[in-house]
Amino acid sequence: MAVIHSDLSYSSAVNNNTLYLLILPFSTKELEIDRVLEDKDKHSVRMLSDFLRSRKQFHGATCMQQQGSHEMKASGNFTLDQSWCRFVKKMWSVHIRNTGPVKNLTLQKSLRLDSDSETGTTDALVQTCNIVQGPFVIRKDVFQKIGGLIEGFGKLSLLEFFLRSKGELKIAKLGSCAWTSKIKRTDRGNLKGSKEVPEYANFANKHTVLRIVTENRIEWTACVANWKMCPEKPYVEPRGLPGVAAPICCSTVLWKMLSDFVRGLNKLGLEYRIVDGTLLGAVRSKAIIPWTYDVDIALPSSVYKNASTYTALEKVLENQYYIGMSFMDMPRGHILVPPYIDVNTAPYFDGPEDLEGKTLFSSDLEEAVKGMLPVSQYWRQRGYVDFYEAGQALMEGSSIATINNKQFVTVKDVDKMLSMNYGKNYRQPALKGEWSGLSDHNGP
């Protein structure tokens, strides 16, 4: 057994005698499998290898992500757990569901984690999938035929691998075992710790994918800043179609970033002021300006100059962002997660077995996604948070600004700051071509 991490490295040599590979969704510096896995996971890996040895019709095998449902009887209307099982790519959209045929198979008792006996047989539930989440064991020749894992896709490495398989893999999900939390964790592989975020653009452009639909989330590989789709007005979270299926505005991504960073600063007990373009949007429309690149936050000098500020923010925000010195040697926050909306997608499919999701498409949506491919890798296109050093005068006193019906702390003399930066007519939107933002070519 050889192990392949998400950073593409081997923890043990793959040689001609190697029959199976354990694929992990995270990177590790450990060179021995025994140091990576807990005893329960070691047993599961042996079980999966033995299963593949006895069941030649399967290309790979995995355990459940959550333990608990394996005592249920086999049926066409339930799944072993809530993890991925089947996918289809339809035009520019990938649909992944936790549905798939579940059958009772007779296994050796040694293949059951909860069995004390090494002899005899027992029935176990097995779900047949063409995609899985988390670790899995696969036949080496199958893995190599598909082309292995490819560099530059971070957390999307496994999904990218399965897309290259074209849905033709047969992977068994065994109801007789479940992974521990230690082995289920995911990271960005060889992109871990980098402020560069190429994975979603790489994925989108290689596979012509804009949208990834799962059971409880819809992700997009890029946001849009089209002023017709994204008017300058307070954000309202979409409920139902067509909103939940539509591309996500870049201003919505910036809104998430503003909310997250202010929440993080408040949790750390640090003062801040929203300034510049973010403040301009608050005054002009109580919203994020749709064709801007960034969120502007000023920090007191002592906080701004303290490197631990950004390390602490990263931790508080659960590593969803790279925060630190960035392009042009400025402290910035770069988002590491894609534009997404959390939503139960089951109502948009025609029953538990449907993968097509016809209601997730429309002529208006086809029009909306025109021009989104190829996805740009330019760092500004993803949106970011700019931190500015605020002198004592700027931090003296404060007032409240409202964005999307939420209140934020800003400078005391708002008119003075905006007049100085944008002129006396700052309440009027910039004319076409006069705003160097995401979509100045589409602006009003």
Side-chain angles (χ1 to χ4, degrees):
M1 172 70 67
V3 181
I4 296 182
H5 312 150
S6 64
D7 63 2
L8 313 181
S9 65
Y10 293 89
S11 66
S12 54
V14 178
N15 53 50
N16 292 334
N17 296 323
T18 301
L19 297 177
Y20 308 105
L21 302 174
L22 171 62
I23 312 300
L24 299 177
F26 57 86
S27 56
T28 176
K29 297 184 182 300
E30 295 291 351
L31 298 179
E32 299 296 332
I33 188 172
D34 286 348
R35 296 185 179 181
V36 177
L37 307 181
E38 296 181 357
D39 288 342
K40 185 177 179 180
D41 291 322
K42 293 176 189 176
H43 185 100
S44 294
V45 170
R46 289 194 297 270
M47 180 193 309
L48 297 176
S49 301
D50 290 344
F51 175 86
L52 291 176
R53 199 170 286 115
S54 64
R55 301 282 174 168
K56 302 297 184 182
Q57 70 269 36
F58 289 100
H59 302 108
T62 189
C63 294
M64 295 188 298
Q65 293 287 299
Q66 305 95 23
Q67 187 76 53
S69 57
H70 63 280
E71 297 300 328
M72 299 175 67
K73 294 182 179 179
S75 164
N77 297 319
F78 83 94
T79 57
L80 285 180
D81 64 1
Q82 296 302 305
S83 63
W84 297 354
C85 186
R86 295 174 64 206
F87 84 94
V88 68
K89 181 177 181 289
K90 184 177 179 181
M91 295 188 289
W92 38 264
S93 188
V94 175
H95 302 167
I96 308 171
R97 306 199 68 193
N98 59 14
T99 185
V102 178
K103 295 182 179 180
N104 270 311
L105 293 182
T106 300
L107 305 178
Q108 294 294 321
K109 284 189 176 180
S110 60
L111 296 186
R112 284 191 66 96
L113 192 63
D114 55 1
S115 174
D116 294 327
S117 173
E118 295 295 324
T119 60
T121 60
T122 182
D123 287 341
L125 296 181
V126 176
Q127 187 172 15
T128 302
C129 305
N130 65 7
I131 189 172
V132 296
Q133 280 178 286
F136 62 98
V137 174
I138 190 170
R139 301 183 191 277
K140 183 187 72 173
D141 58 336
V142 174
F143 183 77
Q144 292 177 336
K145 183 178 180 180
I146 295 172
L149 302 185
I150 297 179
E151 189 173 354
F153 291 96
K155 281 191 175 183
L156 294 174
S157 291
L158 297 191
L159 178 55
E160 194 280 329
F161 170 80
F162 284 114
L163 252 67
R164 278 186 282 118
S165 76
K166 300 179 180 179
E168 296 174 357
L169 291 179
K170 288 184 66 176
I171 300 180
K173 185 193 296 181
L174 274 62
S176 54
C177 67
W179 299 116
T180 67
S181 58
K182 180 179 179 181
I183 197 175
K184 289 188 299 185
R185 70 185 188 275
T186 61
D187 63 26
R188 300 178 67 212
N190 60 353
L191 296 173
K192 187 177 179 181
S194 171
K195 62 178 176 287
E196 303 289 344
V197 192
E199 49 260 59
Y200 292 96
N202 288 345
F203 182 78
N205 297 334
K206 180 177 176 62
H207 295 285
T208 62
V209 171
L210 289 172
R211 186 177 64 185
I212 303 169
V213 180
T214 58
E215 295 287 346
N216 297 302
R217 177 171 288 192
I218 297 178
E219 295 181 345
W220 288 80
T221 53
C223 61
V224 293
N226 184 308
W227 67 275
K228 293 180 180 178
M229 290 182 58
C230 309
E232 187 177 345
K233 63 182 183 180
Y235 171 70
V236 177
E237 186 172 317
R239 302 288 183 183
L241 295 173
V244 297
I248 295 174
C249 295
C250 294
S251 55
T252 303
V253 177
L254 293 177
W255 166 241
K256 170 181 167 54
M257 298 178 77
L258 173 62
S259 301
D260 284 350
F261 275 80
V262 168
R263 172 173 55 83
L265 290 168
N266 287 337
K267 191 169 184 178
L268 294 171
L270 300 176
E271 277 195 279
Y272 74 92
R273 302 287 187 270
I274 63 166
V275 295
D276 297 346
T278 304
L279 177 58
L280 177 63
V283 171
R284 199 166 73 188
S285 57
K286 299 186 184 301
I288 300 289
I289 295 173
W291 51 92
T292 187
Y293 280 116
D294 62 355
V295 168
D296 302 301
I297 298 177
L299 301 174
S301 294
S302 59
V303 175
Y304 175 87
K305 294 178 179 179
N306 190 344
S308 66
T309 296
Y310 311 113
T311 304
L313 267 176
E314 277 190 351
K315 186 175 181 180
V316 166
L317 298 180
E318 299 176 335
N319 297 313
Q320 290 192 74
Y321 298 89
Y322 167 87
I323 308 171
M325 301 308 291
S326 181
F327 307 92
M328 297 185 290
D329 291 326
M330 284 188 65
R332 286 194 171 100
H334 296 279
I335 193 165
L336 302 179
V337 296
Y340 70 87
I341 180 171
D342 286 327
V343 58
N344 175 18
T345 61
Y348 310 122
F349 291 92
D350 187 16
E353 297 298 318
D354 178 39
L355 291 174
E356 294 294 310
K358 293 181 180 179
T359 61
L360 292 169
F361 296 89
S362 68
S363 57
D364 288 343
L365 184 55
E366 286 299 310
E367 187 67 26
V369 301
K370 283 183 179 179
M372 289 184 68
L373 286 169
V375 172
S376 172
Q377 289 198 8
Y378 185 37
W379 63 273
R380 298 187 76 181
Q381 296 283 5
R382 295 189 305 271
Y384 55 95
V385 173
D386 258 342
F387 292 104
Y388 297 94
E389 182 178 4
Q392 184 176 354
L394 192 67
M395 295 302 297
E396 285 182 352
S398 65
S399 61
I400 298 297
T402 299
I403 298 178
N404 295 339
N405 298 310
K406 186 174 180 179
Q407 293 185 329
F408 298 90
V409 182
T410 187
V411 296
K412 183 177 181 179
D413 195 337
V414 171
D415 183 71
K416 180 180 179 181
M417 168 172 276
L418 295 182
S419 296
M420 184 181 301
N421 291 343
Y422 304 103
K424 291 294 183 181
N425 295 323
Y426 62 79
R427 289 181 179 272
Q428 298 299 318
L431 297 176
K432 181 178 179 180
E434 292 184 2
W435 187 279
S436 57
L438 281 166
S439 59
D440 52 316
H441 57 288
N442 286 330

